Every structure is written in C-alpha cells, then in structure tokens.
Amino acid sequence: MERTSTVIYRNFNAPSRAFSQFSHDLIRHPRLDSDAVRLLTWQLSLPHGARESLSATARRARIGGCAFTRAKRQLKDEGFVHERRVQGPGGRWITQQLVSSTPLTSAQAAKILAGSPLPTCADDVSPQVAPSPRKPAVGPPTTPPTGGHPEKDPSEDTSHRPAAADEDERSLDDARPLIGVLPLLSPALRHIPPGMRDELARLAVRWLAAGHTPADVHAHVLRGLPGAGTPVHRPGGLVRYLLREVPPRALPVPPAPTPVTPRLSLRLEGARECAGDHVQPMLFRPLGDESLCPACAPPAPDEPMPVPGGERLRAPS
C-alpha cells in the first residue's frame, strides 16, 4: 500500500514596521490556551503608555466572556498578569493591571506597581474603573436638615456589610460544591466552563431556598440530558436552562394509618368475657354461644347446685 507523508514549507517576511518581539517560550507555553496567548501578545503589542484594560483588549480580539475569564485566570496563575486595587486621589478606587512578557512573582509585581504613578484625571482611568457621570438632582437645592435623629437606622449608611449579603454568600458557598460535582455525574457535563460555575451556583441557591435537596437538583439535571450517544456541545448552557425554572417541591404524602385491631395472645384465642357479676373481668372458653362462665351459668336440672366448699347439690325435682 502506498504511504503518503506531509511536508510543510514556511514563507516568512520580517516586517519593517509595526512589529513586536516575543519569546518562543511564551507562544509555545504548555499551560496557556490560544485565547490566553492572544490576549497576552495583543497587550504586549500595544504602544508604550497605552492604558487599555484586559477586558477592552478581549472585546477587540473577539474573545468571549467565559473564554476571557479562563484566559485571564491562566495568565494570573502563570505570573504574566497581576492585579490589585488601590485608592487614588479623591478617594476613588482604581484597579491596577500589570502585564509582563516574563512571569513575575507577587513581590516583583508589587514593586513595579508601587513605582507606577496613579492617574490624576478621569481621562487616564480605564473605562472599567471610571466613575459614571452624575445626574443632576431634580428641583431647587435644599439645605440639609440639622439636629434631631435621622429617620432611618444609621447602620444602613455604615461600611459594614449587611447581614443579607453575608447570608447570600454563605448560600452561594453551599451551592458551589453542588455544581462542582456535576462533571462527575455524567460525561456530558464534563466540560462545563469554570467561569460559569458561580452563575450556575446562584441558580442552585434558588432551588435550595425552595426546599429542594442537592439530590433533587442532580436528579433534575440528569433527567434533562439527551439520550446516550447525543453530544452536548454547551453543557454549561444546558444546565443553566434546566435550573432556570424552580418547580415547587412536592412533599411526600404520609400513608393513611392502618387501624390496629387488638388481638389476644395465642393462649387466649377463642376466650370470651363472662357477662356475669365478677369483681374483675372473667375470661372463659365457651363450648357454644353461651355468654356466662360455668360458675355463673345456672345448673342443669340433673346436676347438683354448686355450694361453697366445692360441694354441689342436686336441684330439687
């Protein structure tokens, strides 16, 4: 049988302008996918002094939301991207992003960021951290009231985190393991994007709040999967669709209690209570349909009458 082989030829023309130099180790990095490499090389190719954020670069490079989250996490894990929040002039919080062509440790990145000047005007701030324009108030200006107690609880205006937010975060922490085990339940759910897990966990929180158990959620997802052999191209979107509507939890109806009929022991089977005058209930085993025990039953005409002491007298004829 004839064997064929593939031979590849390359034609490379070095650009005379608008080019960047990258290390082969960066382009062939074993733990960076194509989106992460594209995001990093695009950022490194920007002119010196450019302040384009990573999210803006992802939009220009046509990298989707989930792919951008995954690429950014890979770059941060490998030390190519570092990020921190600092408070700038006027008390405004600014996100600083450092992109490097070589991996940096946290200490090295902090030293470089510490020497970088903070922006002094709104034009230098990335769009994702720039404050939104203020809307003018309606009506004439009024003097703020002085004296007296505020109508609302002053704790609402403090910087303390509200208890409801803490409760929501705890509920989200309880739902994350529920979503995390989905890839183990079925091969069709093996490739759920990690960037969607928090979104799916928020949907699972609604199921748990309605009284459903994690087993109920897993059973509902498995029932919604297609038949064997049908590929699932977007498992995250399928799970999101299945968890979007929360049905009411059907509580099990307890069975009606079975009436219990009191039974006598085997030794007393067939016994009957005497209808005669006794200090305590007297049981006897009747020979027919009689309702009196032998002691209470009247003697037959040819039998002696019972007397105290065990003797019996014959009834007079």
Side-chain angles (χ1 to χ4, degrees):
M1 183 174 59
E2 182 181 359
R3 299 182 59 185
T4 61
S5 60
T6 302
V7 180
I8 184 170
Y9 301 93
R10 297 177 180 86
N11 179 34
F12 178 77
N13 294 324
S16 59
R17 55 181 296 276
F19 65 92
S20 302
Q21 294 182 350
F22 302 108
S23 171
H24 291 171
D25 295 336
L26 187 152
I27 300 177
R28 304 170 185 171
H29 199 287
R31 290 181 297 276
L32 297 180
D33 60 15
S34 58
D35 291 324
V37 174
R38 179 172 173 81
L39 182 64
L40 179 59
T41 54
W42 191 302
Q43 270 281 329
L44 295 177
S45 66
L46 295 175
H48 181 70
R51 293 292 183 264
E52 182 175 295
S53 64
L54 290 173
S55 58
T57 299
R59 287 193 296 270
R60 293 178 58 192
R62 300 182 182 274
I63 300 176
C66 295
F68 166 66
T69 302
R70 181 172 59 251
K72 182 179 177 182
R73 184 179 64 252
Q74 292 177 3
L75 294 176
K76 293 177 71 173
D77 292 343
E78 298 300 327
F80 291 101
V81 170
H82 293 268
E83 194 174 49
R84 72 172 184 175
R85 296 266 296 171
V86 295
Q87 196 168 13
R92 183 177 62 248
W93 284 95
I94 301 172
T95 300
Q96 287 185 315
Q97 293 177 338
L98 174 63
V99 181
S100 173
S101 61
T102 57
L104 299 176
T105 63
S106 300
Q108 292 172 336
K111 185 176 180 180
I112 295 176
L113 290 174
S116 302
L118 294 177
T120 56
C121 62
D123 295 338
D124 297 333
V125 183
S126 171
Q128 66 176 0
V129 297
S132 59
R134 298 184 61 183
K135 297 181 179 180
V138 179
T142 57
T143 305
T146 58
H149 295 282
E151 296 180 358
K152 294 184 178 181
D153 187 0
S155 62
E156 296 181 3
D157 300 328
T158 60
S159 59
H160 296 291
R161 192 175 186 180
D166 293 337
E167 184 67 26
D168 293 343
E169 189 64 29
R170 286 195 294 269
S171 301
L172 194 60
D173 291 339
D174 295 338
R176 284 193 181 105
L178 186 153
I179 299 299
V181 301
L182 287 179
L184 304 178
L185 301 180
S186 172
L189 304 176
R190 190 170 300 163
H191 300 292
I192 294 179
M196 293 187 63
R197 291 186 179 179
D198 277 356
E199 178 185 359
L200 300 180
R202 291 187 183 92
L203 295 176
V205 166
R206 299 169 53 225
W207 282 70
L208 298 179
H212 294 278
T213 63
D216 296 337
V217 179
H218 291 161
H220 179 76
V221 172
L222 293 178
R223 283 195 301 267
L225 295 180
T230 304
V232 178
H233 299 289
R234 295 184 178 181
L238 175 60
V239 175
R240 178 174 55 193
Y241 171 77
L242 294 175
L243 298 183
R244 186 171 298 171
E245 299 294 335
V246 183
R249 183 169 183 264
L251 298 178
V253 179
T258 304
V260 179
T261 303
R263 293 185 58 187
L264 297 175
S265 63
L266 295 178
R267 185 174 61 86
L268 299 178
E269 281 288 343
R272 181 183 298 176
E273 183 178 352
C274 177
D277 187 12
H278 295 276
V279 179
Q280 294 181 348
M282 177 66 180
L283 297 178
F284 71 102
R285 197 180 304 276
L287 299 177
D289 58 350
E290 62 266 26
S291 60
L292 297 176
C293 65
C296 296
D302 57 346
E303 289 185 0
M305 298 179 60
V307 295
E311 298 180 358
R312 291 180 177 267
L313 297 177
R314 186 176 300 275
S317 58

